[in-house]
Amino acid sequence: MGKQLWKPGNMLYPLPAVLVSCQGKDGNSNILTIAWTGTICSDPAMVSISVRPGRYSYPMIRETGEFVINLTTKDLVYATDYCGVVSGRDMDKWEACHLTKVPGETVKVPSIAESPMNLECQVTEVKELGTHHMFLAKVTGVRASEEYMDEKGKFHLEKSNPIVYSHGTYYTMGEELGTFGYSVRKK
């Protein structure tokens, strides 16, 4: 079976589809959907999001240096799509999607109560890369829903039905195939 060579493009899929909440210095907040996000360092805990400068939320993040990454679930798939295709310039997405603001603990930005996990972030650097600018950020606080914790305090994100985005389509995560290190573990 052969393969075709395509022109360079962003074909790294699937991606996490997250809801990023942000707030301007004027107190107005917004939510935008981001699929270009990822972990960049574990110590200190750091993440990145890439945002087009023309997005309504871009100046909010740029001027305050803060945002919250809210993980998404099957129950949040409508809001995830909606917040990615409708501009906050035109409406209050919190209200339109019936999402609940929770005040940040380490940032001034609200997080989304309906999300199973919220990562509060402070920007450390902005890389202007072309169509998108990458915000590198230190994770200053993580809020995890007790609903998905077991009796030993272990968080089970998989029970929240997390979603991913792949080339225009949202999917729930599938069956467990193995755990870290299973390929070398003695039987």
Side-chain angles (χ1 to χ4, degrees):
M1 180 150 79
K3 290 193 176 184
Q4 297 178 3
L5 179 63
W6 292 357
K7 68 178 182 168
N10 294 325
M11 296 301 294
L12 182 61
Y13 290 110
L15 299 164
V18 300
L19 291 169
V20 172
S21 48
C22 56
Q23 182 169 291
K25 288 184 177 179
D26 61 3
N28 289 329
S29 63
N30 192 44
I31 308 166
L32 73 156
T33 301
I34 298 282
W36 293 1
T37 184
T39 298
I40 56 174
C41 190
S42 57
D43 188 15
M46 292 186 71
V47 293
S48 69
I49 61 171
S50 293
V51 183
R52 287 190 318 269
R55 295 289 297 261
Y56 177 68
S57 296
Y58 178 89
M60 293 181 190
I61 298 169
R62 189 82 190 226
E63 75 178 5
T64 65
E66 296 182 339
F67 61 87
V68 178
I69 294 175
N70 303 277
L71 300 188
T72 56
T73 65
K74 184 176 180 180
D75 290 342
L76 289 170
V77 71
Y78 178 87
T80 302
D81 186 64
Y82 188 88
C83 291
V85 296
V86 174
S87 176
R89 285 182 186 94
D90 305 323
M91 68 178 40
D92 181 339
K93 295 182 200 178
W94 294 94
E95 186 178 307
C97 293
H98 308 290
L99 297 174
T100 310
K101 293 180 190 179
V102 176
E105 297 212 18
T106 64
V107 295
K108 294 178 182 165
V109 176
S111 62
I112 299 172
E114 293 79 8
S115 171
M117 184 167 284
N118 319 95
L119 287 76
E120 297 182 354
C121 303
Q122 291 181 334
V123 175
T124 59
E125 185 179 348
V126 181
K127 293 192 154 298
E128 298 182 7
L129 301 171
T131 60
H132 289 69
H133 292 181
M134 179 185 286
F135 292 92
L136 305 178
K138 185 175 180 181
V139 178
T140 57
V142 177
R143 299 171 85 176
S145 175
E146 293 174 346
E147 178 181 353
Y148 303 109
M149 290 195 194
D150 66 20
E151 61 284 345
K152 295 180 182 177
K154 182 178 178 184
F155 186 74
H156 292 275
L157 180 64
E158 72 280 3
K159 291 184 179 180
S160 73
N161 292 313
I163 60 172
V164 295
Y165 179 81
S166 185
H167 205 61
T169 304
Y170 303 96
Y171 296 94
T172 57
M173 294 178 60
E175 67 182 287
E176 179 182 317
L177 301 176
T179 58
F180 181 75
Y182 86 97
S183 63
V184 296
R185 203 171 289 127
K186 292 184 180 181
K187 299 186 191 248

